[in-house]
Amino acid sequence: MTSQVSKTVLRLEAEDVQTLKDGINLKKHPEDGKCYIIYKGKDKMRACRNQCKHQGGLFIEDIEDSRTVRCTKHYWKLNVATMEYVNPPDSFTQDELEVVLSDTDGSLELLELNPPDPWTAEPREAQELHAGEITLTYITHACMELKAGNKRMMFDPWLTGPAFARGWWLLHEPPSDAMDRLSQADLIYISHMHSDHLSYPTLQRLSMKRPDIPIYVGDTSRPVFWYLEKSGVNLTNVNVVPFGVWQNVDELLRFMILMDGVHPELDTCLIVEYKGHMILNTVDCTRPNNGRLPHGVDVMMSDFAGGASGFPMTFHGGKYTESWKADFIKNERKKLLKYKTQLVKSLQPKIYCPFAGYFTEAHPSDRYIKETNIKNSAADLNQSIRKRCPNILTWTPVPGSVLDLALALHDPSSRSAITEPPNGTKIYKDSWDFDLYLEELKASVSAEIFKCKSWIQYYYNWAGFKGYNLVIRVIETEDDFKPLKGGYDYLVDFLDLSFPDERPERDHAFEEIKNRVNVMRHVILNGQLWDDLYIGYNNRMSRDPDTELPLLQLFLIFSFIFLFQFFSTLVLFCFRLYYFILKF
């Protein structure tokens, strides 16, 4: 069986993108002659192959409705704004292509996952399950233990320490035996490199107990374990597997890792099958498997909370008043609840469990974020699903609670299907060992390299991000984002990668970024991602002009940091060598 890949089926250059009209655009590939439909809406673009699902006829624009196309064979109609067939009604939905707009050169690509439904390969009939044969035990955040037969899998173990430098801390108290469970697992799945899923403090403790434990990750173009050697964590059995290929654990248990349609280079999700019974874990994927997922699985799990980025909490000035932020966050929460409810309704799993959202901004210096960044609750999402889909069993887990799949399938109303932890079990954390982890960050502040201002030019030139009409001002600050006495305050012009003393006179986008000095210098010194600054709420930003930009374009400011994935060991060596040369 070949692995699943994401391939470009059509590319439009910037000048062709600019000619796209609002509404329906019919495009043909100049070489193979295949036809595509691109719908340009107010908020987004959608695309699909120009091929009717009925008998493969070509579509033409419907003169009666600017959102629909009509098949030339049997006159079926497709609403391209929704990708639903409206005539005949309630029949099919069209398979979508992912639309990717480049912020660097303005081009557009249509991407397709191939094969689209790899889990249908080598199908297995569902067999009878016995009580206790498949159990799911919730640990904390995105960490779940799956017992299937005599094997145990653990998903995304974040059991200790912070994520995103110092911005995220565990909301739930893991069961007291969580680390023992982790070290005794038969295999571990880690979905992606973000530190609330790939937790090096957790893996450090695991490596001291069982360095050879099998760990599985998807073959993303940005490797999940890019930082492993630099971290000093001794894990010797990391397995990178292709997308869309069944991995056999034993004769009854297998799993498959799938890529995300929006971030195929980064995110993954998982299907586990035991005796023909499927468990789908979409984790943090924005559009898992490009929206094509198995229907009627036994258990579906996904994130739910929202509030997992720096926008808009880390922004200030301009329109970003407290009332604007509150309204934005409220609306985003509503949209996420609606989207997740609709997704679950469309996939019709027998059981749904929201997880991967139990984090908190616990450090006292992040009190503002904690009070502003209001998140959805799992209970609210499950209530919405029960209202729309009363036939689906919902599970709102707490640490240590166990779902017995056989009992749940036999009688969803049975209380014995879900075992709650004993009364008095600690559910929420009320203390965190801040100092243990913040001391490492503080140590970076006094590193030798930062005694010489020329590190700034060296760092950005080495990263090599340029050719973008953007100027940033970076200000090192204390924890309260007040400028650090004696800290660096500098400008970077990414058009030509220069370092002016004043903003240039030409028209340009401008971003002022105030970074906590301990996090900023730790990120630079160790060649880590700027996600620790932005997603970890460790900076404050304002921009001029204050215009609506896609969040992806905002991240372009930090995109050069991804180069560090492959050179993180080199950067520290180069810094030290460069400083040595300057000194002598």
Side-chain angles (χ1 to χ4, degrees), residues 220-238:
T220 49
S221 60
R222 295 171 178 171
V224 175
F225 275 96
W226 64 273
Y227 191 66
L228 181 60
E229 183 178 350
K230 180 71 173 59
S231 73
V233 174
N234 181 32
L235 293 171
T236 61
N237 196 358
V238 174

Side-chain angles (χ1 to χ4, degrees), residues 346-366:
S346 67
L347 295 179
Q348 287 292 305
K350 297 178 179 68
I351 302 165
Y352 173 71
C353 171
F355 79 149
Y358 294 105
F359 70 94
T360 183
E361 303 85 354
H363 194 272
S365 64
D366 288 329

Side-chain angles (χ1 to χ4, degrees), residues 312-313 322-337 372-376:
M313 285 75 67
E322 297 309 305
S323 61
W324 188 95
K325 290 181 184 180
D327 288 343
F328 179 89
I329 293 168
K330 182 179 179 180
N331 290 333
E332 288 300 300
R333 288 171 58 204
K334 285 182 178 179
K335 286 195 289 186
L336 183 60
L337 276 179
T372 304
N373 190 26
I374 301 171
K375 309 171 189 66
N376 288 326

Side-chain angles (χ1 to χ4, degrees), residues 152-169:
R152 293 178 183 270
M153 296 180 66
M154 194 77 82
F155 307 151
D156 286 333
W158 173 29
L159 305 180
T160 188
F164 298 108
R166 46 173 287 182
W168 293 27
W169 302 81

